[in-house]
């Protein structure tokens, strides 16, 4: 009886995971937008790990992560210039109806990323609040809430 219970529990877990799996984007515009956001996530994770001490400080990796944030944030308005048509998009229509506000939030991220001092873990730690705040500000307004 225990084996059957374990098998059923495993099967239900697998099927639940499939049912709630992320929808894969197919629209090239949405793919580019999601790829940009994923690059930000990777950069923030690398920098956050160094800032918290979970990951050893690495000057080369810190510079690369900063460069990703600076270049990507300067390119947000290009990637989001047109709305994609894809159920996988997490972009709210307000991006295009409040374009100036969206660009201002992207500019704030660019300013925070540009100002980030990656010469030490302490410098990263001091600047990550501004980076996170800029991301949160934009996502709160312009990103569809996901579970």
């Amino acid at each position: 009886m225990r084996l059957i219970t374990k098998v059923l529990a495993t099967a239900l877990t697998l099927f639940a995971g499939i049912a709630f799996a992320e929808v894969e984007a197919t629209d090239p515009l949405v793919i580019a937008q999601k790829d940009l956001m994923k690059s930000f996530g990777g950069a923030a994770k690398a920098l956050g790990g160094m800032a918290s001490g979970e990951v050893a400080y690495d000057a080369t990796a810190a510079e690369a992560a900063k460069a990703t944030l600076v270049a990507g944030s300067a390119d947000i308005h290009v990637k989001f210039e047109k709305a994609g048509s894809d159920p996988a998009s997490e972009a709210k229509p307000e991006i295009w109806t409040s374009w100036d506000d969206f660009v201002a939030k992207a500019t704030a991220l660019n300013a925070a990323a540009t100002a980030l001092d990656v010469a030490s873990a302490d410098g990263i730690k001091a600047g990550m609040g501004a980076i996170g705040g800029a991301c949160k500000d934009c996502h709160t307004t312009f990103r569809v809430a996901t579970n």
Side-chain angles (χ1 to χ4, degrees), residues 46-139:
L47 292 167
M50 288 181 229
S52 69
E54 291 176 23
V55 176
Y57 172 74
D58 178 333
T60 303
E63 283 291 344
K66 176 181 176 172
T68 296
L69 293 173
V70 170
S73 59
D75 203 32
I76 289 175
H77 69 283
V78 174
K79 299 288 187 203
F80 283 87
E81 187 173 20
K82 295 180 183 176
S85 175
D86 195 312
S89 178
E90 295 173 7
K92 289 183 178 178
E94 287 85 347
I95 289 173
W96 298 278
T97 60
S98 302
W99 184 251
D100 291 342
D101 186 36
F102 179 75
V103 171
K105 290 179 186 332
T107 302
L109 174 58
N110 184 264
T114 301
L116 184 65
D117 175 10
V118 294
S120 69
D122 287 338
I124 296 169
K125 187 175 184 177
M128 285 304 288
I131 301 273
C135 291
K136 183 179 187 293
D137 190 29
C138 192
H139 285 186

Side-chain angles (χ1 to χ4, degrees), residues 17-73:
I18 292 168
F20 293 106
E22 184 178 326
V23 176
E24 196 68 31
T26 57
D27 182 324
L29 289 172
V30 173
I31 292 169
Q33 293 163 358
K34 290 176 86 65
D35 285 349
L36 178 64
M37 293 299 120
K38 287 177 187 174
S39 75
F40 289 164
K45 182 178 179 179
L47 292 167
M50 288 181 229
S52 69
E54 291 176 23
V55 176
Y57 172 74
D58 178 333
T60 303
E63 283 291 344
K66 176 181 176 172
T68 296
L69 293 173
V70 170
S73 59

Side-chain angles (χ1 to χ4, degrees), residues 11-22:
L12 287 173
T13 301
L14 289 173
F15 287 122
I18 292 168
F20 293 106
E22 184 178 326

